[in-house]
Amino acid sequence: QGAPSVTCHSPACPSPTGGGRRSRPMRAPVREFFDSEGFPLVGDTCSFDLCGERDFLPFKCRHCGRSYCLKHAEPSSHECPKFDPVAA
């Protein structure tokens, strides 16, 4: 099984020999990943169990850290387990 096969086409990705294009290490390189047909993998699937919509501009919940579509972006709409409405 293992991880799916993806190809990085970004200049920020290190080469297989270990020497990337940059001489100093980067904290979080921007990488562009493509599926097996060459289409870019963008966006994310809504994490709400009853939704699963693919959203190209997902919202990340600041409480639980999961990605949601616009309809489930608010903590109350996706029943966020880490959201405390009293503390908010």
Side-chain angles (χ1 to χ4, degrees):
Q1 265 88 16
S5 175
V6 292
T7 305
C8 180
H9 295 283
S10 172
C13 289
S15 70
T17 59
R21 290 182 59 182
R22 298 182 181 266
S23 59
R24 60 187 170 100
M26 294 177 60
R27 290 184 185 209
V30 175
R31 295 186 177 169
E32 298 173 15
F33 293 101
F34 297 83
D35 66 10
S36 61
E37 296 177 7
F39 292 103
L41 297 174
V42 295
D44 204 354
T45 303
C46 180
S47 296
F48 188 60
D49 291 335
L50 301 175
C51 182
E53 179 180 316
R54 181 81 179 168
D55 196 320
F56 295 103
L57 294 171
F59 295 86
K60 188 171 187 176
C61 177
R62 66 178 184 225
H63 303 285
C64 66
R66 298 179 76 187
S67 295
Y68 297 95
C69 67
L70 178 61
K71 184 177 178 181
H72 299 110
E74 292 295 320
S76 59
S77 64
H78 68 260
E79 301 167 3
C80 184
K82 296 187 177 184
F83 176 65
D84 182 6
V86 177

